[in-house]
Amino acid sequence: MINFQYLRTTSAKSALSLIAKDQNSKFIAGGTNLIDLMKRGVSSPEKLVDINHVPLKQIEMHKDMIIIGALASNTAVAEHEIIKDHLPLLAMALNAGASAQLRNVATVGGNMMQRTRCGYFYDTEMPCNKRQPGSGCGAVGGFNRMHAIFGTSDKCIAVHPSDMCVALTALDATVVIAGPKGEHKILFKDFHRLAGDTPQLDNNLKADEMIVRLEIPLNSIGRNSHYLKVRDRASYAFALVSVAAGLEIANHIVTDVRLAMGGVAHKPWRLTASEDFLRGKEASLENFEQAAKIAMKDAKSFGENDFKLVMAPNTIIEALTLAKSKI
Ligand code: SF4
């Protein structure tokens, strides 16, 4: 771990100005991933700007929108009455992540910015295009049990590790970003990137920008929902496969649906084709099975993660069945 400068600030404006002065600086909030990266030599910022005291912890409802500040802790969001009442899908996903201790300090913004847990990425002796572009990918042909089956590239097959982000993708959230030119918005589903030829980039946030809040539209999808996470242990384990499913059903017919998966791609993976298939169809097991089949159309496995080709559709079917049972 290298020496670094530590600065603390109390406003988003000053945080942006501090980060703009030094290219090799980073924001720190909960630090649950960044400190690990620094200890292992994967990330070596010369300056850390502590933003924990910037007032971005709000959890509020405005008409048909729920607003969540970027610095609200994962626990604060999961346990907030507004979230439990209107977005239980988000609460379930948050509670499925990490451990209680980590959720107490991890923030919403940090959760979005966390990096893959691919073992090669954290081992500086091994090739990894994400850590060192051009060095190769240890996971292709190596240990890839946790790795992606959708949207992969020959440069990187890592998965995004978040549970929260899978739910937010399904919920059609919007990310509000502050930068030198003011605020702008980006759809949550477009925030994270596929690896493509630039696996070093996890998302579309620029170095001189910060996430300030999320906006989540209110609808009954978020309530009639289930987050199903399949993992090696019941707690403190990343998803092998997870599914966020939300349904609206009238007279046995699916009037609206949201589906997203985790543990399967470099970004939370929205199942738009499956959603399109289900809308207007009977909410039956047969149609859930067909939706899962459609979701798997372009899946590709890499050896150790072949089991995901079976686990993923089964998890989709089960998540839809559980979401339906809540209506
Ligand atoms: Fe690195 Fe991505 Fe390959 Fe893992 S999958 S070794 S993160 S390039």
Side-chain angles (χ1 to χ4, degrees), residues 259 271 273-275 277-278 285-296 316-317 320:
L259 278 171
L271 306 181
S274 302
E275 293 176 1
F277 167 79
L278 281 173
L285 177 60
E286 196 177 53
N287 282 329
F288 292 168
E289 287 171 347
Q290 185 59 25
K293 199 170 168 188
I294 290 168
M296 298 305 295
I316 294 169
I317 296 163
L320 282 166

Side-chain angles (χ1 to χ4, degrees), residues 116-122 126-132 135-140 143 147 154-159 195 199 266:
T116 185
R117 295 319 198 273
C118 172
Y120 297 96
F121 178 65
Y122 287 80
M126 300 300 286
C128 172
N129 287 323
K130 182 177 281 297
R131 176 172 30 77
Q132 192 179 346
S135 63
C137 172
V140 174
F143 293 105
H147 288 66
D154 57 354
K155 304 277 192 306
C156 177
I157 58 170
V159 297
H266 196 259

Side-chain angles (χ1 to χ4, degrees), residues 64-291:
D64 53 357
M65 186 81 77
I66 289 176
I67 310 288
I68 302 176
L71 292 170
S73 76
N74 287 190
T75 298
V77 177
E79 294 187 353
H80 200 286
E81 288 306 319
I82 290 177
I83 305 301
K84 287 198 285 188
D85 282 354
H86 296 278
L87 299 173
L89 179 67
L90 179 57
M92 285 183 82
L94 280 163
N95 284 325
S99 64
Q101 292 88 345
L102 287 166
R103 293 194 295 270
N104 286 342
V105 290
T107 63
V108 166
N111 192 320
M112 292 166 64
M113 297 299 291
Q114 67 177 305
R115 308 212 67 187
T116 185
R117 295 319 198 273
C118 172
Y120 297 96
F121 178 65
Y122 287 80
D123 185 343
T124 53
E125 299 294 313
M126 300 300 286
C128 172
N129 287 323
K130 182 177 281 297
R131 176 172 30 77
Q132 192 179 346
S135 63
C137 172
V140 174
F143 293 105
N144 52 44
R145 182 171 175 272
M146 301 295 289
H147 288 66
I149 54 173
F150 293 117
T152 53
S153 81
D154 57 354
K155 304 277 192 306
C156 177
I157 58 170
V159 297
H160 193 266
S162 170
D163 294 295
M164 178 195 80
C165 293
V166 180
L168 289 167
T169 299
L171 290 167
D172 286 333
T174 295
V175 187
V176 183
I177 292 167
K181 293 180 185 162
E183 287 187 359
H184 70 277
K185 297 182 183 183
I186 179 170
L187 292 177
F188 199 94
K189 71 177 179 62
D190 298 327
F191 181 81
H192 295 97
R193 299 166 60 100
L194 289 180
D197 289 331
T198 52
Q200 69 275 21
L201 301 176
D202 295 342
N203 55 63
N204 290 310
L205 192 76
K206 297 195 178 77
D208 58 355
E209 295 178 331
M210 70 186 289
I211 305 162
V212 287
R213 65 184 175 278
L214 299 175
E215 297 178 352
I216 308 165
L218 274 177
N219 56 42
S220 51
I221 293 279
R223 208 179 272 149
N224 306 330
S225 56
H226 194 82
Y227 186 74
L228 183 58
K229 178 176 181 178
V230 183
R231 49 185 157 173
D232 287 326
R233 291 186 301 263
S235 173
Y236 196 37
F238 292 98
L240 294 166
V241 168
S242 69
V243 174
L247 279 170
E248 271 191 54
I249 297 174
N251 299 321
H252 307 291
I253 300 298
V254 176
T255 54
D256 207 355
V257 56
R258 302 281 190 285
L259 278 171
M261 294 189 87
V264 294
H266 196 259
K267 60 184 285 186
W269 193 249
R270 182 83 179 251
L271 306 181
T272 315
S274 302
E275 293 176 1
D276 291 344
F277 167 79
L278 281 173
R279 278 190 200 96
K281 301 263 185 353
E282 189 184 346
S284 63
L285 177 60
E286 196 177 53
N287 282 329
F288 292 168
E289 287 171 347
Q290 185 59 25

